[in-house]
């Protein structure tokens, strides 16, 4: 297999409502769609779901664009590869930049699965016909508005609620949500807003029977999370700190977390995501699939990943209608009574809608095998 052409398309879609975390508010998102074409004319699609700003992780949309256009693209175009491991070996020298790598890798997984006539889920070893879906809810100033939002998603059938928390929007918010909904699966995500100085406050969350507390401490920390986990009954779950199976191994060996949020983009693609899954699965560590507000392409990859057997907790992979009026794929990725079906058609199982993608493309570049390697 050789790639003869790679198209990068920066696609911007408005959000149906603004999303707020401990660090920022968004009302639209722009992701890079990656279209790869093989020498025999097969096509695959991937998505870089990087935030536009470096507040969740160091990468941004622009760093992804730069790394894809100037390094990853030129390193893989016109080269021979058979497996995804062969492909990623071509850019082994590129450190970090996992969101950029994930977009390209995902497109190549879609390409190979399509060339074999099998679904992406089957290609990576998925076993579930549908995945249990939860929602991630942004910080709201108004508690009544938050309770309304929770009610709306529970009525739609979503199986678990994740609340974003931050200093001043934590214990009392969780207490109220737990009071109104004593029985729901509930978890919180701090996006690294606390330090070990907040340990007493974090311990107060133990009384609310949370499934887990996600990334309470620094985005690049494992050691302090181990100290925190030793002081908490609630399982700590790492998100930002885990970029590879090696990070997962270190975190588990140190008991820095008892659950892992696997994101395809944060770990550089589906194959590394599967390695983390496999490592955790053989050790009985539960995992779940996180999201980055993906459009339908990245979302379909999340669905495929979530069909692996170790994804025992509902993930953040909701229907794309939670975020977007219209999806970039047909059919759109949707949840039905809180489950997202795992498609059985070839590749992602959802076809990119090229006219809609073109209409919302803000910038594009085509790389071909004639490009000079940087
Ligand atoms: O920390 O999980 C996170 C979105 C953007 C950046 C970071 C995170 C999130 C989410 C949303 O929680 C998950 C989703 O619905 O895609
Ligand atoms: Mg998170």
């Amino acid at each position: 297999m050789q790639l003869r052409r790679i198209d990068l398309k920066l696609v911007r879609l408005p959000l149906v409502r603004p999303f707020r975390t401990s660090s920022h508010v968004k009302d639209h998102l722009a992701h890079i769609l990656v279209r790869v074409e093989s020498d025999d004319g097969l096509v695959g699609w991937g998505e870089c779901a990087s935030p536009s700003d470096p507040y969740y992780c160091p990468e941004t949309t622009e760093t992804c664009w730069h790394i894809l256009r100037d390094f990853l693209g030129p390193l893989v175009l016109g080269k021979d590869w058979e497996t995804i491991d062969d492909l990623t070996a071509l850019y082994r020298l590129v450190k970090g930049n996992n969101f950029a790598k994930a977009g390209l890798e995902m497109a190549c997984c879609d390409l190979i699965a399509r060339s074999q006539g099998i679904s992406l889920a089957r290609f990576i070893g998925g076993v579930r016909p549908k995945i249990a879906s939860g929602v991630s809810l942004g910080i709201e100033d108004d508690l009544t508005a938050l309770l309304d939002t929770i009610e709306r998603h529970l009525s739609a059938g979503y199986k678990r609620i994740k609340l974003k928390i931050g200093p001043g929007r934590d214990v009392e918010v969780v207490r109220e949500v737990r009071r109104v909904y004593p029985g729901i699966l509930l978890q919180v995500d701090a996006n690294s807003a606390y330090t070990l100085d907040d340990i007493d406050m974090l311990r107060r969350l133990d009384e609310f029977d949370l499934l887990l507390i996600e990334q309470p401490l620094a985005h690049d920390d494992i050691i302090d999370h181990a100290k925190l986990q030793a002081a908490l009954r609630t399982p700590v779950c790492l998100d930002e700190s885990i970029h590879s199976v090696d990070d997962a191994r270190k975190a588990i060996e140190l008991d820095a977390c008892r659950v892992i949020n696997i994101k395809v983009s944060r770990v550089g693609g589906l194959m590394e995501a599967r390695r983390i899954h496999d490592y955790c699965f053989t050790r009985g560590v539960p995992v779940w699939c996180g999201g980055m507000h993906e459009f339908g392409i990245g979302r379909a990859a999340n669905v495929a990943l979530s069909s692996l057997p170790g994804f025992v907790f509902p993930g953040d992979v909701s229907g794309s209608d939670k975020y977007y009026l219209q999806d970039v794929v047909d059919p759109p990725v949707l949840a039905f009574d809180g489950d997202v079906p795992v498609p059985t058609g070839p590749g992602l199982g959802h076809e990119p809608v090229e006219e809609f993608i073109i209409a919302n493309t803000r910038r594009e570049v085509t790389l071909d095998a004639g490009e000079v390697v940087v």
Side-chain angles (χ1 to χ4, degrees):
M1 175 87 73
Q2 280 191 10
L3 298 183
R4 69 177 178 202
R5 172 177 169 155
I6 300 175
D7 289 284
L8 306 179
K9 296 169 188 290
L10 181 63
V11 175
R12 188 182 195 267
L13 298 182
L15 286 165
V16 290
R17 45 181 75 77
F19 191 92
R20 180 170 155 203
T21 68
S22 60
S23 60
H24 52 275
V25 190
K26 299 273 172 64
D27 65 3
H28 70 272
L29 291 177
H31 290 171
I32 301 168
L33 299 185
V34 181
R35 179 188 181 277
V36 296
E37 198 177 303
S38 69
D39 48 358
D40 45 11
L42 285 167
V43 170
W45 287 82
E47 176 175 341
C48 288
S50 173
S52 56
D53 42 42
Y55 303 151
Y56 164 79
C57 67
E59 290 183 86
T60 68
T61 319
E62 293 303 322
T63 69
C64 287
W65 189 269
H66 165 54
I67 294 292
L68 279 161
R69 186 196 56 191
D70 297 332
F71 295 96
L72 302 177
L75 283 166
V76 303
L77 277 164
K79 304 282 173 52
D80 285 315
W81 55 278
E82 293 308 320
T83 66
I84 295 295
D85 287 344
D86 299 339
L87 174 92
T88 55
L90 296 171
Y91 54 76
R92 189 171 26 216
L93 289 178
V94 179
K95 309 293 190 293
N97 291 287
N98 282 351
F99 277 73
K101 289 174 181 170
L104 177 61
E105 193 248 24
M106 188 188 298
C108 293
C109 288
D110 180 37
L111 179 82
I112 300 200
R114 282 178 197 270
S115 76
Q116 297 175 1
I118 60 173
S119 69
L120 191 59
R122 172 135 180 248
F123 176 67
I124 64 170
V127 294
R128 297 171 202 278
K130 60 185 186 179
I131 64 158
S133 182
V135 286
S136 169
L137 304 181
I139 291 174
E140 305 228 24
D141 286 326
D142 179 6
L143 207 50
T144 315
L146 177 64
L147 291 169
D148 284 352
T149 308
I150 294 173
E151 184 58 38
R152 189 156 41 82
H153 288 102
L154 292 174
S155 312
Y158 283 110
K159 297 195 158 67
R160 163 293 247 161
I161 299 290
K162 160 169 141 182
L163 304 176
K164 293 283 184 181
I165 59 165
R169 305 298 296 165
D170 41 45
V171 177
E172 296 317 317
V173 176
V174 176
R175 183 189 307 285
E176 181 60 8
V177 171
R178 198 34 122 195
R179 189 185 67 74
V180 178
Y181 296 104
I184 60 169
L185 298 181
L186 184 65
Q187 65 192 53
V188 295
D189 186 358
N191 286 111
S192 71
Y194 300 97
T195 71
L196 280 182
D197 292 342
D198 300 307
I199 210 157
D200 290 337
M201 176 261 128
L202 293 166
R203 284 173 76 142
R204 290 170 60 204
L205 292 172
D206 270 345
E207 69 177 279
F208 303 117
D209 196 22
L210 300 175
L211 277 173
L212 55 91
I213 171 165
E214 186 177 343
Q215 197 74 32
L217 308 180
H219 75 99
D220 55 356
D221 170 74
I222 289 180
I223 309 285
D224 282 354
H225 280 97
K227 290 189 188 155
L228 178 65
Q229 180 66 89
L232 289 187
R233 216 175 42 232
T234 308
V236 170
C237 169
L238 289 177
D239 173 357
E240 283 90 326
S241 298
I242 306 295
H243 308 101
S244 62
V245 67
D246 229 32
D247 288 343
R249 173 184 61 76
K250 291 171 190 171
I252 290 165
E253 281 180 7
L254 291 172
D255 195 25
C257 65
R258 298 191 179 150
V259 183
I260 290 185
N261 165 344
I262 304 183
K263 284 183 184 167
V264 176
S265 38
R266 201 190 63 236
V267 305
L270 283 155
M271 294 298 132
E272 192 68 12
R274 187 177 66 180
R275 278 191 281 274
I276 297 174
H277 161 273
D278 293 352
Y279 183 87
C280 292
F281 190 51
T282 53
R283 285 160 186 79
V285 176
V287 302
W288 55 281
C289 185
M292 293 299 301
H293 303 153
E294 281 85 354
F295 302 169
I297 291 171
R299 197 166 289 272
N302 290 343
V303 172
L305 181 69
S306 305
S307 72
L308 292 173
F311 284 79
V312 292
F313 288 4
D316 278 349
V317 190
S318 54
S320 44
D321 57 340
K322 175 175 184 284
Y323 294 115
Y324 307 103
L325 225 41
Q326 192 177 334
D327 204 344
V328 298
V329 293
D330 184 49
V333 178
L334 290 176
F336 301 93
D337 199 23
D339 291 315
V340 181
V342 179
T344 51
L348 293 164
H350 295 261
E351 293 311 312
V353 183
E354 303 222 22
E355 318 79 76
F356 182 67
I357 291 172
I358 290 166
N360 291 282
T361 294
R362 298 300 175 105
R363 188 199 306 164
E364 61 189 317
V365 66
T366 299
L367 311 174
D368 59 46
E371 295 273 310
V372 179
V373 176
V374 183

